[in-house]
């Protein structure tokens, strides 16, 4: 965010712009709920007027009873009231009932509005994340989205509740103040002045509260990231005996959170408590004012005092809600910034249909994750349909990066990636996703049956799922599982072995019958027998599917027509295995080493 100018800071320090600021942030969330918000304000106004009426009548009746009279008469602004005690009490009861009904509406509306807003925020955040580009998703810190979706949204939703409370309390305050004006102008003036003083006196506390909330929001995000990392590394911590170090690291984040939470709570509570004390002082001051001006009779004075106390309490509620609203804004800001960041990264969709992939070509392609450190430089090669291409090279050479470009997960920093001779980005992403499949270096399964893991949300029948499983040489393992294809697998207790996971994910890739198959180390977790089996599956696909196979173990590459040797982000050689064995030192050495290993 750009630094606030002095003018901006001054603008922000004013209450009205701040409320408009909050409203501006909440408006897109409230959307079609604006009517409900208006209803809430109207109901609160009505409840406040009804309450003022009850209080005025009660005070007058009490005064009449003290005087021993059976009628009461009072001035209500320009109008005057003169009724018996019985009808006055009946009127008071009716007004109290109306107030009760309106209060129920006032309770129901914020609950309804905030539940809707919370669900909308969650849908927006998750929707924007899932549509974001892969680089943006991959750059997100560990546990970032989880934390946004859980406590940050919860706190942002409080902004709506605070706004609702602010509106209803202000409306009730207004109703009471109007009633007070009707009864006695000095009392009403006292109420108004006191409210104004309140707001001015406590303004700095709101600014402090907002800053504290900002710090707390950040501390919570950091803590979530730290805890997620520690959870991911629990096995390592057990083996390396580093649990204490993890505790120390997370402990530091907890301490940071403790300090931020303390400041946040302190700011909130100081505001509330100072407010209460100032109110008591102002009530005393208001009474002194009445005494000095000698305004009104005893009954009017009693009614005015009652209304003054209730108005002050509504003003306090409105003030606390306003403070809460200030404290919720940083959470809302963080969410809206995250949504904007995700949305702005959403890749444009070319839209051209892609019925078949015939050729893939890189033309002078370079790529850098960060501007100062190029990873791939001037790649140029062309691959025809049905070719099987091996990609080898030392660790860190850029093989997985090349895979990400081939999958259109990332776009070249310069140069062009051509599909059927046209820039890849012209084609519809969904068509591309149907024609290209992938098994990554660390393939993942989700909590669900084996069949669902292979199907992966696509409308594939059981026969297709089984065919893919057979092709990936996992069918035998699956039928040996307790419930066969219906066995539930997942990340932790019901996990499958590393090699099984790799083959289930290979089956997932094959089940969609892709034109292009990209495999990043497809046999790294397999024993020699499974590796040979997968190699024979790949041999079966040879000619039908264009394949890119990244491998450290060159034995996996027997099916490949050509092998691309990548070194330090450049194409060092691109030829048949036989030719490379003759001309390329890296390939020769790697072949010798994998020969020794097998
Ligand atoms: N997300 C990323 N952000 C920044 N740099 C990255 C990122 N991913 C990879 N790199 C860097 O890019 C270079 C190439 O990485 P890449 O993963 O493509 O290598 P690789 O050839 O697949 O290695 P390996 O055989 O070990 O899997 C490395 O120097 C790596 O540090
Ligand atoms: Mg890699």
């Amino acid at each position: 965010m750009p630094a606030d100018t002095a003018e901006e800071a001054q603008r922000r320090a004013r209450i009205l712009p701040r409320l408009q600021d909050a409203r501006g942030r909440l408006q897109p969330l409230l959307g079609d709920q604006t009517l409900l918000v208006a209803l809430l304000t109207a109901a609160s106004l009505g409840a406040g007027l009804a309450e003022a009426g009850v209080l005025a009548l009660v005070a007058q009746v009490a005064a009449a009873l003290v005087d021993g009279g059976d009628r009461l008469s009072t001035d209500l602004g320009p109008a005057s009231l003169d009724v018996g005690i019985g009808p006055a009490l009946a009127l008071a009861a009716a007004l109290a009932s109306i107030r009760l009904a309106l209060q129920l509406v006032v309770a129901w509306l914020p609950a309804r509005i905030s539940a809707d807003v919370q669900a909308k925020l969650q849908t927006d955040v998750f929707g924007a994340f899932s549509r974001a580009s892969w680089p943006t998703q991959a750059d997100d810190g560990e546990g970032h989205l989880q934390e946004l979706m859980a406590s940050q949204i919860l706190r942002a939703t409080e902004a709506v509740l605070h706004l609702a409370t602010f509106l209803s309390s202000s409306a009730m305050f207004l109703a009471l103040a109007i009633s007070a004006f009707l009864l006695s102008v000095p009392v009403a003036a006292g109420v108004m002045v006191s409210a104004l003083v309140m707001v001015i006196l406590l303004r700095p506390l709101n600014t402090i509260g907002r800053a504290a909330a900002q710090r707390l929001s950040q501390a919570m995000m950091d803590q979530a990231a730290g805890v997620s990392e520690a959870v991911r590394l629990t096995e390592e911590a057990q083996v390396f005996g580093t649990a204490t170090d993890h505790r120390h690291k997370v402990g530091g984040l907890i301490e940071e959170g403790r300090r931020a939470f303390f400041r946040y709570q302190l700011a909130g509570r100081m505001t509330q408590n100072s407010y209460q004390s100032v109110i008591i002082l102002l009530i005393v001051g208001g009474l002194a004012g009445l005494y000095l001006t000698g305004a009104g009779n005893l009954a009017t004075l009693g009614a005015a005092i009652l209304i003054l106390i209730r108005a002050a309490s509504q003003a306090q509620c409105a003030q606390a809600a306003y403070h809460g609203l200030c404290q919720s804004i940083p959470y809302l800001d963080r969410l809206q910034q995250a949504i904007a960041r995700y949305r702005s990264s959403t890749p444009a969709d070319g839209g051209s249909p892609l019925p078949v992939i015939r050729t893939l070509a890189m033309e002078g392609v370079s790529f850098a994750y960060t501007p100062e450190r190029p990873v791939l430089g001037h790649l140029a090669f062309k691959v025809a349909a049905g070719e099987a291409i091996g990609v080898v090279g030392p660790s860190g050479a850029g093989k997985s990066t090349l895979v990400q470009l081939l999958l259109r997960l990332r776009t070249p920093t310069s140069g062009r990636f051509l599909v059927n001779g046209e820039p890849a980005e012209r084609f519809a992403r969904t068509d591309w996703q149907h024609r290209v499949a992938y098994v990554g270096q660390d393939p993942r399964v989700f909590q669900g049956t084996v069949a669902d893991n292979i199907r992966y949300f696509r409308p594939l029948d059981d026969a297709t799922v089984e065919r893919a499983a057979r092709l990936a040489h996992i069918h035998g393992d699956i039928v040996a599982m307790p419930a066969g294809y219906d066995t539930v697998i997942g990340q932790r207790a019901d996990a499958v072995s590393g090699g099984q996971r790799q083959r289930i994910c290979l089956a997932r890739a094959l089940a969609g019958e892709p034109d292009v198959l990209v495999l990043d180390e497809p046999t790294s977790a397999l024993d020699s027998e499974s590796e040979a089996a997968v190699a024979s599956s790949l041999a079966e696909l040879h000619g039908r599917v264009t394949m890119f196979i990244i491998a450290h173990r060159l034995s996996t590459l027997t099916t490949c027509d050509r092998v691309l040797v990548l070194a330090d982000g450049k194409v060092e050689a691109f030829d048949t295995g036989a030719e490379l064995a003759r001309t390329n030192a890296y390939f020769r050495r790697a072949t010798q080493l994998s020969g020794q290993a097998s």
Side-chain angles (χ1 to χ4, degrees):
M1 266 210 295
D4 283 356
T5 59
E7 197 187 324
E8 174 76 354
Q10 216 177 16
R11 191 185 69 79
R12 275 166 186 263
R14 273 183 257 132
I15 279 251
L16 209 59
R18 265 216 196 162
L19 277 175
Q20 279 165 352
D21 191 29
R23 208 182 66 100
R25 284 168 163 89
L26 290 169
Q27 193 62 46
L29 289 175
L30 292 171
D32 48 5
Q33 316 244 25
T34 318
L35 193 66
L36 292 186
V37 174
L39 190 61
L40 173 72
T41 315
S44 307
L45 207 59
L49 286 172
E51 181 175 336
V54 174
L55 293 178
L57 284 168
V58 164
Q60 305 280 351
V61 167
L65 289 175
V66 169
D67 286 349
D70 60 355
R71 294 190 73 77
L72 56 93
S73 71
T74 187
D75 288 339
L76 280 173
S80 58
L81 186 71
D82 186 8
V83 287
I85 286 185
L89 284 174
L91 183 60
L95 285 174
S97 308
I98 291 172
R99 183 186 178 278
L100 173 67
L102 290 172
Q103 285 290 70
L104 292 179
V105 174
V106 170
W108 178 79
L109 282 171
R112 161 76 201 275
I113 296 170
S114 61
D116 289 358
V117 163
Q118 177 165 308
K120 179 166 166 41
L121 269 175
Q122 285 168 332
T123 311
D124 283 358
V125 170
F126 193 74
F129 174 83
S130 67
R131 287 186 194 93
S133 72
W134 163 244
T136 302
Q137 291 172 335
D139 276 354
D140 245 5
E142 209 159 345
H144 183 262
L145 186 68
Q146 289 87 328
E147 170 63 17
L148 283 183
M149 292 286 294
S151 45
Q152 303 273 326
I153 282 188
L154 206 63
R155 282 172 189 254
T157 309
E158 282 171 6
V160 181
L161 288 170
H162 290 312
L163 181 70
T165 311
F166 178 80
L167 288 176
S168 65
S169 301
S170 304
M172 285 194 206
F173 167 78
L174 199 67
L176 290 161
I178 290 170
S179 314
F181 258 112
L182 291 177
L183 280 169
S184 156
V185 173
V187 170
V191 171
M192 296 311 246
V193 168
S194 62
L196 206 65
V197 170
M198 230 58 3
V199 164
I200 292 167
L201 277 182
L202 298 167
R203 211 166 53 187
L205 286 175
N206 287 324
T207 314
I208 294 170
R210 189 159 166 162
Q214 235 152 14
R215 233 169 284 140
L216 180 60
S217 163
Q218 186 57 51
M220 283 161 68
M221 295 301 294
D222 294 346
Q223 219 178 74
V227 172
S228 300
E229 185 186 76
V231 170
R232 186 165 51 81
L233 291 176
T234 38
E235 190 178 20
E236 283 81 353
Q238 292 280 357
V239 175
F240 286 81
T242 51
T244 317
D245 305 278
H246 280 291
R247 272 200 301 279
H248 190 69
K249 196 169 166 188
V250 172
L253 296 170
I254 291 174
E255 175 55 22
E256 194 52 46
R258 188 192 68 78
R259 270 189 251 132
F261 190 70
F262 165 71
R263 280 191 218 116
Y264 174 82
Q265 286 294 333
L266 186 67
R269 276 155 208 284
M270 290 265 280
T271 311
Q272 208 176 346
N273 291 359
S274 329
Y275 197 86
Q276 282 165 0
S277 306
V278 177
I279 278 177
I280 291 170
L281 278 175
L282 285 169
I283 288 175
V284 175
L287 280 174
L290 278 177
Y291 172 70
L292 290 176
T293 53
N297 60 24
L298 182 66
T300 309
L301 190 63
I305 291 168
L306 278 175
I307 291 176
L308 178 65
I309 290 171
R310 285 296 296 154
S313 117
Q314 289 305 335
Q316 184 188 349
C317 268
Q319 207 285 335
Y322 174 69
H323 183 83
L325 188 60
C326 288
Q327 287 197 320
S328 308
I329 292 296
Y331 295 91
L332 210 52
D333 279 350
R334 184 182 294 281
L335 287 170
Q336 277 165 2
Q337 278 159 16
I339 292 173
R341 188 167 58 83
Y342 293 144
R343 285 194 180 146
S344 68
S345 83
T346 304
D349 197 4
S352 295
L354 181 64
V356 65
I357 296 177
R358 289 186 304 275
T359 58
L360 294 173
M362 293 285 175
E363 258 188 19
V365 164
S366 299
F367 180 81
Y369 289 101
T370 48
E372 67 278 4
R373 215 174 132 241
V375 171
L376 294 174
H378 309 289
L379 300 189
F381 61 81
K382 187 170 178 182
V383 171
E387 266 197 286
I389 305 296
V391 180
V392 299
S395 181
K399 303 181 295 296
S400 296
T401 308
L402 172 61
V403 163
Q404 303 215 347
L405 295 181
L406 283 170
L407 293 170
R408 282 180 65 192
L409 290 175
R410 294 183 189 268
T411 43
T413 315
S414 62
R416 299 197 303 167
F417 175 29
L418 303 175
V419 177
N420 300 343
E422 285 189 57
E425 59 276 11
R426 278 201 198 146
F427 295 105
R429 198 158 278 274
T430 43
D431 280 10
W432 177 259
Q433 286 159 341
H434 282 132
R435 317 241 151 269
V436 179
Y438 165 65
V439 183
Q441 256 182 316
D442 181 21
R444 281 167 275 258
V445 290
F446 58 86
Q447 194 77 29
T449 66
V450 178
D452 285 346
N453 265 281
I454 296 176
R455 203 171 273 126
Y456 199 41
F457 301 112
R458 294 165 295 183
L460 304 175
D461 59 26
D462 291 348
T464 310
V465 168
E466 190 180 318
R467 200 164 49 242
R470 283 182 190 277
L471 204 49
H473 288 270
I474 185 68
H475 176 74
D477 292 52
I478 297 172
V479 290
M481 288 178 185
Y485 279 87
D486 293 329
T487 309
V488 172
I489 56 169
Q491 279 302 333
R492 293 241 165 196
D494 37 9
V496 285
S497 81
Q500 287 171 336
R501 187 156 45 101
Q502 211 158 29
R503 279 173 293 150
I504 288 171
C505 292
L506 179 60
R508 177 190 291 168
L510 296 175
E513 299 180 354
D515 289 353
V516 176
L517 181 60
V518 181
L519 306 167
D520 198 348
E521 309 242 11
T523 56
S524 63
L526 303 186
D527 59 15
S528 321
E529 209 169 309
S530 316
E531 186 187 1
V534 168
S536 73
S537 311
L538 299 181
E540 280 174 48
L541 293 170
H542 188 207
R544 286 192 281 149
V545 178
T546 312
M547 285 187 279
F548 287 88
I549 307 168
I550 285 95
H552 280 300
R553 287 198 269 175
L554 299 202
S555 46
T556 322
L557 300 180
T558 45
T559 19
C560 291
D561 302 302
R562 288 188 292 164
V563 176
L564 191 151
V565 182
L566 205 58
D568 208 10
K570 312 256 179 334
V571 179
E572 193 180 271
F574 190 21
D575 219 322
T576 60
E579 192 56 25
L580 288 177
R582 221 168 48 75
T583 56
N584 188 272
Y586 174 83
F587 188 81
R588 216 171 19 246
R589 173 113 183 99
T591 317
Q592 279 166 5
L593 288 176
S594 62
Q596 282 163 13
S598 58

